[in-house]
Amino acid sequence: MRSIWNGAISFGLVSIPIKLVNATESHSVSFRQIHTEDGGRIRYRKVCELEDREVTQAEIGKAYEDADGSMIPITDEDLSQLPIPTARTIEIVAFVPEDRIDPLQMGSAYYLAASGAPAAKPYTLLREALKRSNRVAIAKFALRGRERLGMLRVVGDAIAMHGLLWPDEVRAPEGVAPEGGVTVRDQELDLADALMDTLGEIDLDDLHDEYQEAVEEVIAAKAAGERPPEAPAEAAPGKVLDLMAALESSVRAARESRDGEEAGSAEEAEVRSLPQRKTTSRRAPKETGGKKSTSTAAKKTAAKKAEPKKSTARSAGSAKKTAAKSTAKKTAAKSTSGGDKAAARGTGKSTAKKTASRRRSA
């Protein structure tokens, strides 16, 4: 960015060499004046009234017109030797809270760039001091032939300066407000608050110059030999007969518009995120579903295998019962003691004799 002014910031006894750079730019479409009959350019020529001839820029100077119409020449050397300290210096005179500055006073904005390596340290010192104090600096400076008032504040890592009007240059709002006593009911204020809340906030970066875009479309269409686009016919605004009804209609329309925008953004977000949702929903059930299907198949297989073994299980159960009975008998026989053993022997002998006699008779 090209600097438009070179000087220094006077911060007490500290001097900070700086360059003044425009912080804003205009994007408006500029037009030329032409002769409508033949399209010829209309130009302004600088003509000397005494000699009645066109003069060059090098022949043009400055002058002050006195009350009687006489001209008092003023040279650039006269202006450079003005007895003021702000001719090439931005002199800081005070530090105040930012809310003390009336926005009506704010004018052009500039960036202050450090000029050279020696200016880096004091520039950073002033910037950090402004940050920590949460205040802005009020300064005087001379630019384009007049002394001006400025406000220095921190923007990012840079120091910006806003040109301010002098307090006596701001008009008082006399005769602007409606005359006579006008009363506003609480219900009307409540509806106004509801309308403000419904409209909500907006990101200023989303705003753009629609008029400039429309002008550029017209220029492009005419350059291509096409018919320029036409604006749609606007509906005639109705008369506001009831303020309450107008507020209620405004709140309702704002809510419907906001709900429609939210629904549209939600649908758009859902469409954009569908691939991720599908991928996630497919992966998760695969792992869980796989385990469930495996366990179910295993249970079915085990059930099928168990069906032909039902008879085997029953025979095994009866065998277990028989074994348990014989085991119980053996345990009872072993547990017989002393005289029981003799009785058992006698009983055994008699049983043996009966068995032998039966065999002989047979």
Side-chain angles (χ1 to χ4, degrees):
M1 292 183 285
R2 185 175 62 88
S3 63
I4 61 173
W5 185 86
N6 294 333
I9 300 176
S10 176
F11 179 33
L13 298 178
V14 179
S15 180
I16 310 171
I18 55 95
K19 297 178 181 179
L20 198 67
V21 179
N22 281 322
T24 61
E25 58 185 1
S26 175
H27 293 160
S28 60
V29 179
S30 59
F31 297 100
R32 304 293 185 187
Q33 291 183 334
I34 62 170
H35 188 199
T36 56
E37 293 185 1
D38 54 17
R41 279 282 304 274
I42 303 298
R43 298 179 182 271
Y44 292 96
R45 302 182 185 276
K46 298 179 179 181
V47 178
C48 175
E49 292 181 351
L50 298 179
E51 299 181 6
D52 194 20
R53 69 177 182 88
E54 186 179 355
V55 296
T56 63
Q57 185 63 34
E59 300 176 87
I60 300 175
K62 300 184 184 72
Y64 174 78
E65 185 176 3
D66 205 354
D68 57 359
S70 61
M71 297 294 176
I72 303 174
I74 302 294
T75 65
D76 292 338
E77 185 179 358
D78 294 334
L79 295 176
S80 63
Q81 295 178 355
L82 291 174
I84 55 174
T86 58
R88 284 289 171 186
T89 305
I90 299 175
E91 182 185 7
I92 296 177
V93 296
F95 293 90
V96 300
E98 189 172 359
D99 57 5
R100 286 271 303 275
I101 306 301
D102 189 344
L104 287 173
Q105 290 183 254
M106 291 189 180
S108 301
Y110 310 93
Y111 287 130
L112 304 181
S115 180
K121 183 65 178 291
Y123 183 97
T124 306
L125 172 65
L126 176 59
R127 183 191 66 196
E128 297 302 317
L130 289 173
K131 279 185 180 180
R132 191 169 71 172
S133 65
N134 292 322
R135 290 182 289 179
V136 297
I138 304 300
K140 290 182 177 181
F141 66 102
L143 182 65
R144 298 188 178 99
R146 61 184 291 253
E147 188 176 51
R148 301 168 184 261
L149 197 62
M151 179 189 75
L152 278 65
R153 68 185 184 96
V154 178
V155 177
D157 292 332
I159 299 176
M161 181 173 69
H162 296 268
L164 300 179
L165 297 174
W166 297 97
D168 58 358
E169 292 179 319
V170 179
R171 293 179 176 178
E174 295 179 356
V176 178
E179 297 180 358
V182 179
T183 58
V184 179
R185 294 180 294 171
D186 292 338
Q187 294 85 348
E188 294 169 340
L189 283 174
D190 294 339
L191 283 173
D193 291 340
L195 179 58
M196 293 168 62
D197 294 338
T198 305
L199 293 176
E201 299 181 358
I202 191 173
D203 188 356
L204 295 180
D205 293 335
D206 295 336
L207 301 178
H208 59 280
D209 190 350
E210 297 181 4
Y211 179 82
Q212 178 188 346
E213 293 178 354
V215 171
E216 291 174 352
E217 290 179 4
V218 171
I219 294 173
K222 300 200 74 172
E226 301 173 356
R227 185 177 180 179
E230 297 181 357
E234 297 182 0
K239 295 182 180 180
V240 179
L241 301 178
D242 186 357
L243 181 58
M244 288 289 290
L247 286 171
E248 290 174 353
S249 301
S250 300
V251 172
R252 184 167 53 255
R255 285 177 179 171
E256 291 175 355
S257 175
R258 185 184 64 178
D259 294 340
E261 291 178 358
E262 290 178 354
S265 60
E267 290 177 1
E268 183 180 0
E270 185 178 357
V271 170
R272 290 180 179 175
S273 60
L274 263 179
Q276 296 181 358
R277 290 182 180 177
K278 284 184 176 180
T279 304
T280 307
S281 61
R282 283 179 181 174
R283 287 180 182 173
K286 275 185 179 179
E287 297 176 0
T288 309
K291 292 180 181 179
K292 288 183 179 179
S293 60
T294 306
S295 59
T296 306
K299 289 179 180 179
K300 290 181 179 180
T301 306
K304 288 180 179 179
K305 290 181 179 180
E307 286 177 0
K309 291 184 179 181
K310 286 182 179 179
S311 59
T312 308
R314 288 175 182 173
S315 60
S318 59
K320 286 181 180 179
K321 291 179 180 179
T322 307
K325 289 179 180 179
S326 60
T327 304
K329 289 179 179 179
K330 289 179 180 180
T331 306
K334 286 182 181 180
S335 61
T336 306
S337 61
D340 293 337
K341 285 183 180 181
R345 285 176 186 173
T347 306
K349 287 179 181 180
S350 60
T351 305
K353 287 179 181 179
K354 289 179 181 178
T355 305
S357 62
R358 285 177 184 172
R359 287 180 181 176
R360 287 176 184 171
S361 60

